[in-house]
Amino acid sequence: MSDPIRVTVWNEFRHEKESPEIAKIYPDGMHEAIAGYLRQKPDLEVCTATLDEPDHGLTDEVLANTDVLMWWGHGAHGEVRDEIVEKIHARILNGMGLIPLHSSHMSKIFTKLMGTSCQLKWREIGEKERLWVVEPGHPIVEGIGDYIELPHVEMYGEHHDCAAPDQLIFISWFAGGEVFRSGMCFHRGMGKIFYFRPGHETLPIYHNEEILRVIYNAVRWAAPIDRPQRTFGNYQPLEDVQSSE
Ligand code: ZN
């Protein structure tokens, strides 16, 4: 068996400490709801990290030993230190996978990777969402049917000012009439990024088996492949070539 994929589930972990309502849904934080599911998978090695730990739980050692970083942020994007964001960015270009969830569309690392504002429309009335699979052969939708239905969600609507994805996996429909690109794959350097929309803090989205299955599939997809680091700069010819001088 190949080495396990090393996953770090990062969470801002503020809402759960500040609101008893939210703590009821996620007593140990959203990161533990996700990590608890992923720990059941024999091909993964899972740890967690949160904003208020030293270096946000993302020391050089943790980052060096992370194959896939999951990210959940919302109210405290601005408190994530820039030098940590730079380190995460460098790790992604060298192959680490990133899975930004839900409101992490506005995180420093995602907006840096996109180069755009990443703004969108939103509304919180608990309407229904259907996430339609639009790339049915993709490994991220293994085990998933035509669509995933979530009875009560926060709506996110287009236009989402992100970069055009390399692959679009899910398009959401909302009862209020909007649509949204809810599952998007990007490549940056050697790194793979999967943005996945579901997961509002006041809703039990990360207890939904289908959502967790997509997250697991995405971890496997975003894991680095076994390949040497890239070579840049001045380069000797491979063939015996003569200069025209
Ligand atoms: Zn939300």
Side-chain angles (χ1 to χ4, degrees), residues 56-236:
H56 312 319
L58 299 173
T59 60
D60 291 354
E61 201 193 334
V62 169
L63 281 176
N65 289 295
T66 297
D67 295 317
V68 178
L69 178 63
M70 200 157 317
W71 195 271
W72 197 100
H74 179 228
H77 295 312
E79 290 181 48
V80 178
R81 287 190 354 243
D82 290 337
E83 69 263 34
I84 307 282
V85 176
E86 289 302 323
K87 287 177 187 179
I88 296 167
H89 187 255
R91 275 286 291 135
I92 292 167
L93 298 187
N94 283 324
M96 183 178 76
L98 178 75
I99 305 177
L101 297 169
H102 189 60
S103 41
S104 306
H105 69 94
M106 287 299 287
S107 63
K108 283 186 181 177
I109 185 59
F110 189 64
T111 56
K112 181 178 173 72
L113 289 161
M114 295 294 105
T116 51
S117 80
C118 295
Q119 297 273 2
L120 47 77
K121 297 185 181 72
W122 62 273
R123 172 174 66 234
E124 207 181 333
I125 58 167
E127 68 211 85
K128 179 154 87 177
E129 172 181 12
R130 269 194 211 104
L131 296 101
W132 288 93
V133 173
V134 292
E135 196 61 67
H138 200 278
I140 286 181
V141 294
E142 191 171 314
I144 302 297
D146 282 353
Y147 57 84
I148 299 171
E149 192 167 290
L150 299 172
H152 305 290
V153 303
E154 175 191 29
M155 184 283 293
Y156 277 7
E158 297 285 347
H159 175 58
H160 177 198
D161 185 25
C162 62
D166 297 313
Q167 273 180 311
L168 182 57
I169 311 298
F170 288 101
I171 296 177
S172 281
W173 164 92
F174 296 90
E178 292 80 4
V179 296
F180 192 77
R181 291 167 292 172
S182 280
M184 296 185 281
C185 294
F186 304 90
H187 292 80
R188 293 291 184 273
M190 288 176 74
K192 285 168 274 182
I193 299 141
F194 179 63
Y195 171 81
F196 193 41
R197 190 203 95 80
H200 186 62
E201 64 275 8
T202 60
L203 300 165
I205 308 279
Y206 299 130
H207 296 303
N208 178 299
E209 278 287 328
E210 288 175 296
I211 297 303
L212 291 167
R213 177 68 195 267
V214 170
I215 288 173
Y216 168 60
N217 292 343
V219 166
R220 289 165 53 103
W221 171 81
I225 57 168
D226 187 12
R227 224 179 144 259
Q229 287 297 315
R230 298 161 296 165
T231 310
F232 296 113
N234 186 273
Y235 201 62
Q236 294 305 307

